[in-house]
Amino acid sequence: MVGELASRLLSRLPDEVTPVPTLLVVDDEPSVCYSFSRVFGDETTRVVSAGTVSEGLRLFKSEKPEVVVLDFQLPDGTGLQAFESIRSISPKQPVLFITAHGTTTTAIEAMKQGAFDYLIKPLEFGRVADILRRAFEAAYLMRVPAVLPSLEPREQFVGRAPAIQEMCKVIGRIAAQDVNVLILGESGVGKELVARAIYHHSRRADKPFLAINCAALPEGLIESELFGHERGAFTGADRQRIGKFEQCDDGTIFLDEIGDMPLAAQAKVLRLLQEQQFERVGGRETIQTRVRIIAATNQDLEKRIDDGGFRADLFYRLRGVTISVPPLRDRTDDIAELAHYFLYVFNQELGLNVQGFDPETLVCLRDYRWPGNVRELQGILKEAMLRSTGALLLPEFLPPALRGRPQQGPAGTTDAERVDVKGLIDEHLARGENNLHAQVIAVVERALFKRVLQETGGHLGHACERLGLNRSTLRYKLRDLGLSIDRVVGE
């Protein structure tokens, strides 16, 4: 799971960075190193290990890992000493500590200095996988620039629409200014890309960047995630936790879907914006911070204020500068350029060789309304490329919704919901393709998630229960596949 995620997240790093993401584990217990290699190492993620500080630093310099796991007690020094050396070389490096119960105080101190998180022995690898997933994502957000069109294209704003060009000009003007930014736009338009562009062109580009999805965190945990908590602050708080604002001091926090933030957490964010200070949940110590906030939402915050769901004073504080990202239906002239860009990206990512589009396919793409915006375009093109059988992407490989009304099949299912797994596998084997696991899983997951969401009426909690996934994992997968709950349920 982590390996596939890391490969997807880092597939578009610059050429000088190793194409296979690397995890460095520094621990003097061979069993721990072996376990990390066995559980997380595969063809999509390299796991390298060391048993001493000196060997760990040597590997860090030579292997340039995306994520580092450090034990606190090592034969020739401490993990904290290694951490300080790593931070002097790469200040934004995500580092996770492994600690025994007796050294959690030191681990907390390390987090105050910018460590990503810490793991307590004995390790629970389900929890480890979740933390590593977030660490690889943080590495991606900080290392892969979201560049403006005038720079070398890696992952950028694609399109020539006047609204996109004006938006890029605004980003260029305000990125270096230390002001808070509120990004508005529908789901899937690229609000995170805007936030990353601001970060990479800011004076804080050498400091951490952390993204928090306010909608993916349970209401009872969001304050703890942002501000931390003291031991005993609530049931289950068995140790002190350092929050993201304290951990990301002097860096940039991206609060995605801030319209879903509970009112209690809004009050603390407002105080942080006003006074640059806060308290941990259940604590009395006042903590200073110098973090820059970039927020985003797909909601009408002024309507949320009228409904009592969002604080007006926080809204006015957040919108130091407001950037509106246009929906894809308002920039239809950009669709062909975006389609060719994603064709290149997915050919590289999936090992395919789809060389272009049938003209009728581009007409179908242009005429569709794209309620899920660019993210939906990504998901549909990836699935169509996985289904394609020739050099050109034909209309028949697009979902029926893009070619007309869905055709009904047995038991009321549509063509988009039926997946001939054996036929799909046989088709790709006959073409001599590799990377079959990722290709088949993407198609099957898309069909599975759509069917379960329709069965549960779009209720995320019930869908998670039926699928055996937690909310954050399901939200992440839906986003990666370009699926919108509202659109899926409405089909």
Side-chain angles (χ1 to χ4, degrees), residues 92-402:
K92 300 187 292 184
Q93 181 70 42
V95 176
L96 286 69
F97 278 98
I98 302 176
T99 174
H101 287 282
T103 57
T104 53
T105 300
T106 311
I108 290 169
E109 288 301 317
M111 288 198 66
K112 289 181 180 179
Q113 297 179 36
F116 187 81
D117 211 328
Y118 64 92
L119 312 164
I120 294 179
K121 294 180 179 179
L123 299 175
E124 299 178 7
F125 279 95
R127 170 71 173 154
V128 174
D130 181 62
I131 294 176
L132 284 178
R133 177 186 63 79
R134 291 189 284 111
F136 273 111
E137 184 167 6
Y140 170 75
L141 294 175
M142 289 187 283
R143 295 182 65 175
V144 180
V147 302
L148 302 183
S150 59
L151 302 180
E152 183 68 21
R154 286 293 180 187
E155 181 169 296
Q156 62 168 304
F157 300 105
V158 176
R160 304 174 187 270
I164 290 294
Q165 297 304 311
E166 285 302 314
M167 183 186 71
C168 291
K169 291 176 184 178
V170 173
I171 293 171
R173 286 195 296 266
I174 62 96
Q177 308 301 319
D178 215 9
V179 294
N180 298 315
V181 182
L182 178 61
I183 305 169
L184 305 177
E186 298 175 5
S187 292
V189 294
K191 296 187 292 294
E192 181 187 287
L193 199 60
V194 174
R196 287 172 45 213
I198 294 170
Y199 162 70
H200 282 290
H201 292 277
S202 74
R203 295 191 183 100
R204 300 176 186 241
D206 61 341
K207 304 296 182 183
F209 176 88
L210 294 178
I212 307 294
N213 187 331
C214 300
L217 292 171
E219 183 172 344
L221 293 181
I222 189 167
E223 284 190 68
S224 173
E225 184 74 16
L226 293 177
F227 305 103
H229 63 250
E230 300 291 348
R231 181 178 180 181
F234 50 84
T235 303
D238 56 351
R239 63 184 186 274
Q240 186 187 65
R241 177 180 177 84
I242 303 302
K244 297 304 182 188
F245 281 117
E246 190 172 356
Q247 179 185 347
C248 197
D249 187 30
D250 212 27
T252 302
I253 291 276
F254 175 47
L255 298 178
D256 198 8
E257 305 300 349
I258 197 169
D260 293 303
M261 180 179 285
L263 287 169
Q266 290 179 34
K268 296 191 74 169
V269 171
L270 176 64
R271 185 191 174 199
L272 185 145
L273 287 170
Q274 291 173 330
E275 305 174 16
Q276 291 289 289
Q277 60 186 27
F278 63 93
E279 287 92 30
R280 302 189 193 102
V281 177
R284 296 182 179 178
E285 177 189 1
T286 299
I287 300 166
Q288 296 291 136
T289 186
R290 299 173 299 278
V291 70
R292 182 186 191 179
I293 293 179
I294 301 174
T297 182
N298 60 6
Q299 301 188 39
D300 184 340
L301 290 186
E302 292 182 332
K303 185 176 184 301
R304 291 275 289 155
I305 290 169
D306 293 339
D307 296 340
F310 202 82
R311 296 181 62 114
D313 44 8
L314 177 59
F315 172 64
Y316 299 133
R317 282 280 180 176
L318 286 171
R319 63 171 193 179
V321 174
T322 301
I323 295 177
S324 296
V325 187
L328 188 55
R329 63 179 173 274
D330 290 348
R331 41 185 293 225
T332 54
D333 289 345
D334 289 342
I335 289 175
E337 187 175 351
L338 282 163
H340 282 95
Y341 174 76
F342 291 132
L343 184 80
Y344 168 78
V345 169
F346 294 142
N347 271 332
Q348 299 295 312
E349 183 178 317
L350 301 173
L352 302 176
N353 189 30
V354 181
Q355 296 176 13
F357 295 91
D358 182 279
E360 184 61 30
T361 302
L362 291 176
V363 171
C364 294
L365 296 177
R366 186 196 62 205
D367 291 346
Y368 184 59
R369 292 292 292 167
W370 297 109
N373 292 294
V374 179
R375 187 181 301 150
E376 183 184 16
L377 175 62
Q378 285 180 289
I380 282 177
L381 285 178
K382 179 182 282 188
E383 181 177 358
M385 290 174 67
L386 292 171
R387 291 180 177 276
S388 67
T389 56
L392 291 180
L393 198 64
L394 304 176
E396 65 192 74
F397 302 123
L398 298 174
L402 272 73

